[in-house]
Amino acid sequence: MVIGSYRGGIVHLSTPPRLDEPPPPGAGRKSTEVDFDAFYQAHYRAMTTQLCAYTGDLGHAQDLVQEAFCRAFTRWQKIVRYEDPVAWVRKVAWNLATSRWRRVRTAQRFLRKQREEHVPGPSPDRVALEAALALLPPNQRRVVVLYHLADMPISEISRQEGIPEGTVKSWLHRGRTALAVHLSERTEENRRA
């Protein structure tokens, strides 16, 4: 009679567990658990070595093999009756590795398409213009932007804003004058610096 320990207790087995045969009929739950423990201990290292060679990463190989054995454990009553339970666990581990490789490859393809494009920053003139526009009252700023940047005629600005054409011309004139002052002050500041 063989005596084996299991989780602090002692389990008596009539014969040593055989990894290539299903447990004998009438074997209790503890016998099956011991068989799985023995199965795990007998094959974990070899399978980890194989997966490490395949993946090139020991930690990842250990995770894959561990997951395969976890899946085998949940189906152990069925798997233990297979002709080669090791082949089932090995196949699951390799499938997990292949699935991970495909996910990584897909993610890498996605990331290659998402590369940042480096666009040059705004020119100093543009920065100065935006700063000067920000100093204008909102109505003058709108009219200047619509006329000079959107290339809209005065009549169209008048219709869009709902104001007479004379008001558009007045705001445009005031806005240009204020912009000229702000931009000339900025130019002088830059010369001094």
Side-chain angles (χ1 to χ4, degrees):
M1 177 190 291
V2 175
I3 298 177
S5 66
Y6 177 72
R7 293 189 184 147
I10 297 178
V11 177
H12 298 278
L13 301 174
S14 59
T15 58
R18 297 204 42 165
L19 301 179
D20 57 346
E21 294 179 7
R29 179 174 166 84
K30 290 184 179 178
S31 168
T32 303
E33 289 177 5
V34 171
D35 284 343
F36 182 81
D37 290 345
F39 175 76
Y40 177 85
Q41 289 174 5
H43 300 287
Y44 177 80
R45 175 174 260 167
M47 238 180 269
T48 301
T49 302
Q50 293 166 14
L51 268 288
C52 181
Y54 178 64
T55 64
D57 182 348
L58 176 61
H60 184 62
Q62 290 170 332
D63 290 344
L64 293 170
V65 172
Q66 188 69 31
E67 176 63 25
F69 273 106
C70 286
R71 291 181 183 190
F73 182 74
T74 62
R75 299 167 180 86
W76 186 242
Q77 294 299 323
K78 182 178 179 182
I79 293 170
V80 75
R81 289 177 172 69
Y82 289 172
E83 186 175 316
D84 189 3
V86 176
W88 187 92
V89 177
R90 184 181 309 112
K91 179 75 172 168
V92 169
W94 281 82
N95 287 346
L96 289 169
T98 302
S99 294
R100 179 189 176 273
W101 177 76
R102 286 181 183 141
R103 282 191 307 273
V104 167
R105 186 181 62 185
T106 301
Q108 287 173 341
R109 265 193 252 140
F110 175 77
L111 289 174
R112 274 194 297 267
K113 292 178 184 177
Q114 302 302 317
R115 287 193 177 150
E116 290 182 23
E117 291 183 27
H118 296 284
V119 178
S123 68
D125 291 339
R126 180 175 176 162
V127 172
L129 177 62
E130 288 177 0
L133 281 169
L135 297 173
L136 295 179
N139 56 359
Q140 292 176 15
R141 183 177 336 130
R142 258 192 332 271
V143 170
V144 168
V145 167
L146 291 174
Y147 185 77
H148 290 287
L149 299 178
D151 292 326
M152 290 174 66
I154 290 176
S155 59
E156 197 174 327
I157 296 171
S158 172
R159 273 193 309 277
Q160 179 177 315
E161 296 297 310
I163 54 175
E165 287 186 24
T167 305
V168 173
K169 291 176 184 177
S170 173
W171 289 353
L172 188 57
H173 174 72
R174 290 179 194 161
R176 286 178 185 159
T177 304
L179 274 177
V181 171
H182 295 311
L183 290 173
S184 64
E185 288 174 359
R186 183 109 176 170
T187 305
E188 286 181 32
E189 287 175 12
N190 289 340
R191 286 183 191 162
R192 289 183 210 156

